[in-house]
Amino acid sequence: MNIFIAIFMLGLIIFIHELGHFLLAKKNGITVTEFSLGMGPRLASFEKNGTRYSLKLLPIGGSCMMLGEDEDIEDEGAFHKKGVGARFSVLFAGAFFNFVLAFVLAVVIIGVVGVDYPHVLKVEEDSAVYKAGLREGDRIKKIDGRRIHFGKEIDAYLFFNPISDEPIKISYERDGKSYTTSITPEQLPAYYKLGIRYGGNAENAVLAGIESGFPFDEAGLVAGDIITSINGSQIITGQDMVDYFADNPISGEVIDITYRRSGEKSDRSASISPRLVENDYSLGLSYNVYREKVSPIKTIKNSFFEVRYNILNTIDSIRYLVSGKAGLKDISGPVGIVTFVDDIVDQTRSDGIGYVLLNLANFAVLLSANLGVMNLLPIPALDGGRLVFIIIEAIRGKPIAKEKEALVHLVGFALLMLLMAVVLFNDIQRLL
């Protein structure tokens, strides 16, 4: 069932993308030879007004094939016969429709559960932020010039821009007035870290989050795993784990744990070696990540911000990858998406079907925005790569020879297929 859900989600996102190309092509008088959902052999098809509509075997893609897209054809309905503006709009429409889908889903999610406004919940006395003037109840508006609308945006910004000894400029609002201050983070004493998040209110000791590159992640544990014992001590609830680490502070000693993965009946075991962190910094504040209901107008407004957040997150992730801070092993493809969907369903099913659907919709917002951004990258064979050729044509006043453009896209497509193979290998390796 979870595989079916993942396939349906991907199919819907891809269908909306291709629908954007299709509708703008039709609007501009371009002949669409085939509009298909899926790849591979046709399962069913019919033809209407010169366009074949097809459902294909493999639910991992889709296409909107247009006449004269990659070759010179003397036909008024050919893609290359249309003006620069018309062709640009057709290629851009796929990503734009993905952003529209993300917006619609965001409206539903925010309308039901609300918004996590970035209010300061607690400020430690004598901390860096306390000395800079921030107090409980202040609303953070900007960090180093980046607009902040949600609490989770602070998490994302600090992940991609880790705190160091460099000053951070924070703008905040208090009683309707805006203030800006500069904060110099304070270095923490060296400590040992496991790289996990869990809550004391949970019925079981479930891992709410795993930090990449830290001991629990390196030991193969994932979010959703349930800790059942630590160094021989039985762990039943989240509070049991809180109490254990309160009585046994983390040191350099190896920790032996047992844990249970969703859907499995027997426990697994692992030995965890805590990591010594010597150069870590703190701001000394906690901020809101819990949602509150808002009016319909604010729902619409914040839905735009939600799409913006996911677009910027995708761009920051690409920069993170290009800079070498992440590797190919950190990229997931369709198989990885199925695994994420499986985790979402398993971790939220106890809260009811409505909560499961909301979390799946939230994941679909991320996927749809991600697909939109990725397709606009100036990479040959992608929409963004084709847009580059149209922009060059607009600047120089004439198109680049079709055979040269086709060769560039062919090479780009081959490299993309190679990347897909690597990503698929990574996904399968994670499963194993």
Side-chain angles (χ1 to χ4, degrees):
M1 177 59 71
N2 292 347
I3 293 174
F4 172 78
I5 292 171
I7 290 173
F8 174 79
M9 184 184 298
L10 282 172
L12 174 64
I13 292 170
I14 293 169
F15 172 77
I16 294 297
H17 181 91
E18 298 300 334
L19 182 64
H21 292 316
F22 173 78
L23 293 177
L24 268 292
K26 288 289 188 179
K27 182 179 183 301
N28 286 284
I30 297 171
T31 300
V32 179
T33 56
E34 184 177 28
F35 178 63
S36 65
L37 181 61
M39 298 177 70
R42 293 192 186 100
L43 295 177
S45 70
F46 66 91
E47 189 171 337
K48 183 178 180 181
N49 298 329
T51 301
R52 179 167 293 280
Y53 299 86
S54 305
L55 176 65
K56 297 186 176 180
L57 178 63
L58 303 176
I60 54 173
S63 66
C64 174
M65 299 176 64
M66 295 172 280
L67 186 68
E69 191 173 0
D70 294 310
E71 54 188 347
D72 287 318
I73 296 178
E74 292 302 320
D75 189 296
E76 284 303 312
F79 178 79
H80 69 88
K81 288 290 186 181
K82 303 302 177 179
V84 167
R87 285 178 284 143
F88 188 97
S89 67
V90 171
L91 293 175
F92 183 78
F96 180 76
F97 268 54
N98 280 134
F99 299 146
V100 171
L101 174 61
F103 172 77
V104 171
L105 292 173
V107 169
V108 174
I109 296 166
I110 294 175
V112 175
V113 298
V115 177
D116 54 319
Y117 286 125
H119 291 120
V120 176
L121 298 181
K122 183 180 178 181
V123 179
E124 298 176 13
E125 287 193 25
D126 297 326
S127 65
V129 292
Y130 188 89
K131 294 173 183 176
L134 269 81
R135 296 293 184 267
E136 181 180 329
D138 292 345
R139 179 170 171 176
I140 296 175
K141 305 292 287 186
K142 290 182 181 180
I143 300 179
D144 285 338
R146 170 73 69 90
R147 293 285 301 180
I148 301 294
H149 300 97
F150 311 122
K152 63 187 175 185
E153 282 188 288
I154 303 176
D155 282 339
Y157 182 83
L158 295 181
F159 173 80
F160 291 112
N161 303 275
I163 300 172
S164 66
D165 58 355
E166 294 294 322
I168 297 175
K169 184 176 288 186
I170 292 183
S171 297
Y172 60 98
E173 185 179 275
R174 180 189 301 165
D175 299 328
K177 296 182 179 179
S178 297
Y179 304 87
T180 298
T181 185
S182 181
I183 300 169
T184 301
E186 298 175 344
Q187 186 170 4
L188 296 171
Y191 67 96
Y192 287 93
K193 186 174 181 179
L194 298 174
I196 55 174
R197 286 193 294 108
Y198 54 92
N201 296 325
E203 293 182 3
N204 46 37
V206 61
L207 298 178
I210 300 285
E211 194 168 346
S212 178
F214 278 87
F216 268 68
D217 174 57
E218 292 174 345
L221 279 83
V222 298
D225 287 345
I226 297 172
I227 304 300
T228 54
S229 76
I230 304 175
N231 286 337
S233 298
Q234 186 179 27
I235 302 294
I236 298 176
T237 67
Q239 189 59 46
D240 288 341
M241 190 148 74
V242 171
D243 293 340
Y244 179 87
F245 285 122
D247 296 334
N248 304 274
I250 302 168
S251 65
E253 297 294 323
V254 174
I255 298 173
D256 294 317
I257 67 165
T258 59
Y259 64 98
R260 185 165 298 174
R261 183 152 293 171
S262 178
E264 298 181 359
K265 296 182 179 180
S266 57
D267 287 354
R268 302 184 182 193
S269 61
S271 292
I272 310 294
S273 298
R275 175 176 297 177
L276 180 63
V277 179
E278 297 184 280
N279 294 302
D280 200 8
Y281 294 83
S282 172
L283 292 175
L285 86 162
S286 59
Y287 43 86
N288 177 53
V289 291
Y290 301 100
R291 293 177 182 258
E292 60 182 79
K293 288 289 193 74
V294 294
S295 67
I297 293 177
K298 289 184 177 179
T299 295
I300 299 296
K301 178 181 177 181
N302 283 288
S303 295
F304 283 106
F305 296 147
E306 180 73 23
V307 176
R308 171 187 177 273
Y309 161 74
N310 282 279
I311 291 174
L312 291 178
N313 234 10
T314 303
I315 295 172
D316 286 338
S317 297
I318 295 169
R319 289 174 180 164
Y320 205 70
L321 179 65
V322 173
S323 68
K325 295 177 181 178
L328 290 177
K329 65 180 181 63
D330 299 308
I331 304 176
S332 285
V335 175
I337 291 171
V338 173
T339 304
F340 282 123
V341 168
D342 192 59
D343 290 340
I344 290 170
V345 174
D346 287 342
Q347 292 172 32
T348 58
R349 70 167 78 242
S350 60
D351 297 311
I353 184 64
Y355 198 66
V356 172
L357 292 175
L358 283 172
N359 277 278
L360 289 173
N362 195 47
F363 186 45
V365 171
L366 168 64
L367 290 179
S368 193
N370 191 288
L371 180 63
V373 172
M374 295 300 293
N375 265 276
L376 290 178
L377 293 178
I379 298 174
L382 295 181
D383 294 336
R386 295 179 181 275
L387 286 172
V388 168
F389 279 92
I390 291 179
I391 293 171
I392 292 173
E393 177 184 341
I395 294 173
R396 70 197 295 256
K398 61 178 181 179
I400 294 174
K402 273 291 175 187
E403 58 273 12
K404 292 181 180 179
E405 181 180 348
L407 179 60
V408 170
H409 291 316
L410 179 63
V411 173
F413 181 77
L415 292 175
L416 285 174
M417 290 300 100
L418 178 61
L419 177 61
M420 284 291 292
V422 172
V423 171
L424 180 61
F425 174 78
N426 288 340
D427 284 345
I428 294 174
Q429 192 177 43
R430 288 191 195 99
L431 287 176
L432 296 177

